[in-house]
Amino acid sequence: ICAFEVGILWQTFQGMEAAMIRSIGAFLVAVLVAYVIGAVLATQHVLGSLTSMGMNIDFGIWAHATLHDLIGMAALYAPLLAVAFLIALPVILLVCRGRPGWRRIGYTTGFFAAVVVMHSIMPMVLNVTPVAATRMFGGLIQQGLAGAVGGYVFYRLGRASLADAAAEAKAA
Protein backbone atom coordinates (compact mmCIF):
# COMPACT_ATOMS: atom_id res chain seq x y z
CA ILE A 1 0.00 0.00 0.00
CA CYS A 2 1.47 3.31 -1.00
CA ALA A 3 1.01 6.71 0.60
CA PHE A 4 -1.32 7.78 -2.21
CA GLU A 5 -3.67 4.83 -1.57
CA VAL A 6 -3.62 5.53 2.17
CA GLY A 7 -4.54 9.14 1.45
CA ILE A 8 -7.48 8.06 -0.73
CA LEU A 9 -8.66 5.56 1.91
CA TRP A 10 -8.42 8.26 4.60
CA GLN A 11 -10.45 10.73 2.52
CA THR A 12 -13.06 8.05 1.84
CA PHE A 13 -13.29 7.22 5.55
CA GLN A 14 -13.64 10.88 6.52
CA GLY A 15 -16.42 11.36 3.96
CA MET A 16 -18.21 8.25 5.18
CA GLU A 17 -17.83 9.32 8.81
CA ALA A 18 -19.34 12.73 8.08
CA ALA A 19 -22.20 11.14 6.16
CA MET A 20 -22.85 8.69 9.00
CA ILE A 21 -23.00 11.49 11.57
CA ARG A 22 -25.26 13.47 9.27
CA SER A 23 -27.56 10.46 8.76
CA ILE A 24 -27.82 9.76 12.49
CA GLY A 25 -28.58 13.42 13.21
CA ALA A 26 -31.17 13.50 10.42
CA PHE A 27 -32.76 10.33 11.79
CA LEU A 28 -33.03 11.72 15.31
CA VAL A 29 -34.53 14.99 14.08
CA ALA A 30 -36.99 13.04 11.90
CA VAL A 31 -38.12 10.97 14.88
CA LEU A 32 -38.48 14.12 17.01
CA VAL A 33 -40.50 15.95 14.33
CA ALA A 34 -42.76 12.94 13.72
CA TYR A 35 -43.21 12.50 17.47
CA VAL A 36 -44.17 16.13 18.12
CA ILE A 37 -46.60 16.23 15.20
CA GLY A 38 -48.04 12.83 16.09
CA ALA A 39 -48.49 13.65 19.78
CA VAL A 40 -50.12 17.00 19.03
CA LEU A 41 -52.43 15.48 16.39
CA ALA A 42 -53.40 12.64 18.73
CA THR A 43 -54.32 15.09 21.48
CA GLN A 44 -56.30 17.29 19.11
CA HIS A 45 -58.11 14.24 17.71
CA VAL A 46 -59.20 13.06 21.15
CA LEU A 47 -60.21 16.56 22.30
CA GLY A 48 -62.08 17.09 19.04
CA SER A 49 -64.00 13.87 19.64
CA LEU A 50 -64.92 15.04 23.13
CA THR A 51 -66.08 18.38 21.73
CA SER A 52 -68.22 16.62 19.13
CA MET A 53 -69.95 14.78 21.99
CA GLY A 54 -70.97 18.10 23.48
CA MET A 55 -68.20 18.75 25.99
CA ASN A 56 -67.13 22.36 26.28
CA ILE A 57 -63.33 22.50 26.33
CA ASP A 58 -61.71 25.93 26.62
CA PHE A 59 -58.34 26.90 25.13
CA GLY A 60 -56.50 26.52 28.44
CA ILE A 61 -57.51 22.88 28.70
CA TRP A 62 -56.57 22.28 25.04
CA ALA A 63 -53.12 23.81 25.61
CA HIS A 64 -52.56 21.99 28.91
CA ALA A 65 -53.64 18.63 27.46
CA THR A 66 -51.37 19.12 24.45
CA LEU A 67 -48.35 19.97 26.59
CA HIS A 68 -49.15 17.12 28.98
CA ASP A 69 -49.30 14.62 26.12
CA LEU A 70 -46.12 15.96 24.51
CA ILE A 71 -44.26 15.27 27.74
CA GLY A 72 -46.16 12.17 28.81
CA MET A 73 -46.04 10.25 25.53
CA ALA A 74 -42.31 10.81 24.92
CA ALA A 75 -41.01 7.81 26.84
CA LEU A 76 -43.16 5.33 24.90
CA TYR A 77 -44.14 6.83 21.57
CA ALA A 78 -40.84 8.35 20.42
CA PRO A 79 -38.95 5.03 20.80
CA LEU A 80 -41.77 3.21 18.99
CA LEU A 81 -41.47 5.64 16.09
CA ALA A 82 -37.69 5.20 16.06
CA VAL A 83 -38.03 1.41 15.87
CA ALA A 84 -40.68 1.64 13.13
CA PHE A 85 -38.44 3.99 11.11
CA LEU A 86 -35.40 1.73 11.63
CA ILE A 87 -37.35 -1.26 10.35
CA ALA A 88 -38.55 0.74 7.34
CA LEU A 89 -35.13 2.11 6.36
CA PRO A 90 -33.65 -1.05 4.78
CA VAL A 91 -36.81 -1.54 2.72
CA ILE A 92 -36.76 2.10 1.59
CA LEU A 93 -33.07 1.90 0.73
CA LEU A 94 -33.62 -1.31 -1.25
CA VAL A 95 -36.51 0.18 -3.22
CA CYS A 96 -34.61 3.41 -3.90
CA ARG A 97 -31.28 1.70 -4.66
CA GLY A 98 -29.89 3.08 -7.88
CA ARG A 99 -32.78 5.53 -8.13
CA PRO A 100 -31.73 8.70 -6.30
CA GLY A 101 -34.76 10.54 -7.67
CA TRP A 102 -37.02 8.22 -5.68
CA ARG A 103 -35.53 9.02 -2.27
CA ARG A 104 -37.85 11.90 -1.36
CA ILE A 105 -41.01 9.95 -2.10
CA GLY A 106 -39.42 6.77 -0.74
CA TYR A 107 -38.64 8.17 2.71
CA THR A 108 -41.95 10.03 2.87
CA THR A 109 -44.16 7.08 1.93
CA GLY A 110 -41.94 4.58 3.72
CA PHE A 111 -42.15 6.38 7.05
CA PHE A 112 -45.90 6.91 6.53
CA ALA A 113 -46.32 3.17 5.99
CA ALA A 114 -44.08 2.33 8.95
CA VAL A 115 -46.26 4.31 11.34
CA VAL A 116 -49.53 2.97 9.93
CA VAL A 117 -48.25 -0.62 10.04
CA MET A 118 -46.94 -0.16 13.59
CA HIS A 119 -50.31 1.12 14.79
CA SER A 120 -52.16 -1.62 12.91
CA ILE A 121 -50.04 -4.51 14.17
CA MET A 122 -49.64 -3.57 17.84
CA PRO A 123 -53.32 -4.10 18.78
CA MET A 124 -53.31 -7.50 17.07
CA VAL A 125 -50.02 -8.77 18.46
CA LEU A 126 -49.76 -7.05 21.86
CA ASN A 127 -53.39 -6.14 22.47
CA VAL A 128 -52.21 -2.54 23.00
CA THR A 129 -53.08 0.69 21.22
CA PRO A 130 -50.35 3.16 22.18
CA VAL A 131 -52.19 6.14 20.65
CA ALA A 132 -55.94 6.10 21.26
CA ALA A 133 -56.65 8.23 18.19
CA THR A 134 -55.44 5.40 15.93
CA ARG A 135 -58.47 3.31 16.83
CA MET A 136 -60.29 5.42 14.24
CA PHE A 137 -59.26 5.62 10.57
CA GLY A 138 -58.82 9.40 10.65
CA GLY A 139 -56.49 9.21 13.64
CA LEU A 140 -54.48 6.43 12.01
CA ILE A 141 -54.03 8.50 8.85
CA GLN A 142 -53.02 11.54 10.94
CA GLN A 143 -50.30 9.50 12.63
CA GLY A 144 -49.19 8.20 9.24
CA LEU A 145 -48.93 11.78 8.01
CA ALA A 146 -46.76 12.62 11.02
CA GLY A 147 -44.50 9.76 9.92
CA ALA A 148 -44.52 11.10 6.36
CA VAL A 149 -43.35 14.51 7.57
CA GLY A 150 -40.61 12.74 9.53
CA GLY A 151 -39.60 10.90 6.37
CA TYR A 152 -39.44 14.13 4.42
CA VAL A 153 -37.33 15.74 7.15
CA PHE A 154 -34.99 12.74 7.06
CA TYR A 155 -34.67 13.11 3.29
CA ARG A 156 -33.98 16.85 3.47
CA LEU A 157 -31.45 16.67 6.30
CA GLY A 158 -29.70 13.46 5.34
CA ARG A 159 -29.36 13.77 1.58
CA ALA A 160 -25.66 12.93 1.65
CA SER A 161 -25.73 9.14 1.90
CA LEU A 162 -22.72 6.99 2.63
CA ALA A 163 -22.48 6.04 -1.05
CA ASP A 164 -22.62 9.72 -2.08
CA ALA A 165 -19.89 10.60 0.42
CA ALA A 166 -17.68 7.76 -0.79
CA ALA A 167 -18.16 8.81 -4.42
CA GLU A 168 -17.33 12.43 -3.57
CA ALA A 169 -14.18 11.35 -1.68
CA LYS A 170 -13.00 9.22 -4.62
CA ALA A 171 -13.60 12.08 -7.03
CA ALA A 172 -11.52 14.45 -4.89
Side-chain angles (χ1 to χ4, degrees):
I1 239 175
C2 70
F4 177 73
E5 290 171 334
V6 170
I8 289 175
L9 288 172
W10 181 249
Q11 286 177 344
T12 302
F13 173 75
Q14 285 179 320
M16 292 175 69
E17 183 181 48
M20 181 70 80
I21 291 169
R22 184 177 186 166
S23 293
I24 291 169
F27 180 80
L28 294 174
V29 171
V31 169
L32 179 65
V33 167
Y35 167 72
V36 168
I37 293 171
V40 169
L41 287 175
T43 304
Q44 305 318 303
H45 186 85
V46 170
L47 292 175
S49 295
L50 291 173
T51 302
S52 70
M53 290 188 273
M55 288 191 74
N56 185 18
I57 302 173
D58 64 24
F59 178 75
I61 293 174
W62 281 78
H64 178 35
T66 302
L67 183 61
H68 179 269
D69 284 354
L70 272 172
I71 295 167
M73 292 173 64
L76 175 66
Y77 195 41
L80 286 173
L81 288 173
V83 169
F85 290 175
L86 283 172
I87 292 169
L89 274 175
V91 177
I92 296 165
L93 293 173
L94 184 65
V95 169
C96 296
R97 187 178 195 182
R99 301 173 191 95
W102 288 21
R103 288 184 185 148
R104 178 178 52 203
I105 195 75
Y107 290 126
T108 304
T109 58
F111 283 20
F112 175 92
V115 174
V116 170
V117 168
M118 175 191 71
H119 284 296
S120 299
I121 288 176
M122 285 187 71
M124 291 185 272
V125 175
L126 301 173
N127 200 25
V128 163
T129 305
V131 177
T134 61
R135 292 183 189 125
M136 296 166 52
F137 182 73
L140 181 62
I141 295 302
Q142 286 177 348
Q143 293 305 302
L145 291 173
V149 173
Y152 183 75
V153 166
F154 182 74
Y155 164 76
R156 292 291 296 176
L157 296 180
R159 284 195 280 191
S161 69
L162 291 175
D164 294 339
E168 287 174 9
K170 285 181 183 178

